[in-house]
Amino acid sequence: MKIIKILFAVLAALWALALIPKLLSGIAQSGSPVASSRLMGSVAGILIASAISITLFRSAARK
């Protein structure tokens, strides 16, 4: 079970890293009317993926 938690934590961390280019491209295209919603979506995705990753790593390290 510990290995599965670590595997999913790594996948969540990679997901957070994969959203960084989307965030940067959203900043570059700030003149678009929907740019702010894309920017907030990227930030929310990064925060959610980071929280999942940290939670899984902590729970795998406890036992």
Side-chain angles (χ1 to χ4, degrees):
M1 188 68 175
K2 189 179 222 182
I3 294 172
I4 294 172
K5 286 182 182 180
I6 292 172
L7 178 69
F8 281 129
V10 169
L11 288 174
L14 290 175
W15 178 36
L17 290 175
L19 288 173
I20 291 175
K22 186 176 179 182
L23 176 69
L24 294 177
S25 70
I27 292 171
Q29 299 172 353
S30 60
S32 173
V34 293
S36 63
S37 63
R38 288 182 183 166
L39 191 68
M40 288 300 135
S42 295
V43 169
I46 291 170
L47 291 175
I48 290 169
S50 298
I52 291 170
S53 179
I54 290 169
T55 303
L56 287 171
F57 273 126
R58 280 187 178 178
S59 69
R62 282 187 193 157
K63 295 180 180 181

